Amino acid sequence: MALAVAAIVGVVIAMSGGDGESAAEGKQSGAPGGAAEPQVPTAAAGKSFTKVPEGCRLIKASTIARIAPGTECKPSQFDNATMAAMITRMPSWDMPFGSGGGSLSLDVNLTVSPSASGMFDVHKKSALEALKKVRTITDSRSLGGLGEDAYVVHGVDKDPFDLAEAQVIVREGNAEFTVSLTYDTKDSGRNQQQAEDAVVAAARDVLGSLS
């Protein structure tokens, strides 16, 4: 009888704890029930920016002259908002009133904060869904070679409107931003590819301006 009990105990130990050391190597201590804790990505894993130029200096003048000629930059009231854990810049480049150049607007919405990853997801979803009742999405895809995460969306307003928008959402470390170009499909002389190339070029300038 004692031999049988010993044999049963040996089986139990072999199944549940005989190689406990090797099993523990694949688990993180402190997790409930020994389960591995989920790995949550943080901004610390990438670049950590602490300096941001004034809003109107995020994009080079030469780039503006090429992708949005004739526009003038207007800083946002939030451009100088610098808090302990967040820096924001929201400048816009627009055609002067009465210029007759058609509707054209370039906007940047930049935030440097620990919540950059979550904001990327929010802005991506907004670009795809916020105006779906009045706008047709004609392109949406991930981009490589631009920050850690980048996604471009292009949409065209439904009749009777004539506006279209190209937007790129970018995250790099603790920085997240969008660059949007809104243009008139009839008067601007632009097409979808040109608009997407424009916001990507502007986004590269924004990334290059951070330190």
Side-chain angles (χ1 to χ4, degrees), residues 127-129 131-132 135-140 153-156 192:
L128 291 170
E129 300 181 5
L131 297 176
K132 61 183 179 181
R135 178 174 292 174
T136 300
I137 299 298
T138 57
D139 190 20
S140 61
V153 179
H154 185 276
V156 179
Q192 175 177 312

Side-chain angles (χ1 to χ4, degrees), residues 147-210:
E148 294 176 53
D149 296 300
Y151 199 87
V152 66
V153 179
H154 185 276
V156 179
D157 288 353
K158 299 177 181 179
D159 289 335
F161 304 106
D162 301 318
L163 294 180
E165 180 186 44
Q167 182 175 170
V168 63
I169 306 104
V170 181
R171 183 187 71 83
E172 174 78 8
N174 64 337
E176 189 274 347
F177 64 91
T178 65
V179 179
S180 305
L181 180 71
T182 304
Y183 62 100
D184 192 311
T185 57
K186 291 184 178 180
D187 298 330
S188 68
R190 286 174 174 77
N191 58 35
Q192 175 177 312
Q193 188 60 58
Q194 291 170 330
E196 291 182 0
D197 290 346
V199 293
V200 170
R204 295 191 187 284
D205 279 5
V206 174
L207 274 180
S209 73
L210 308 179

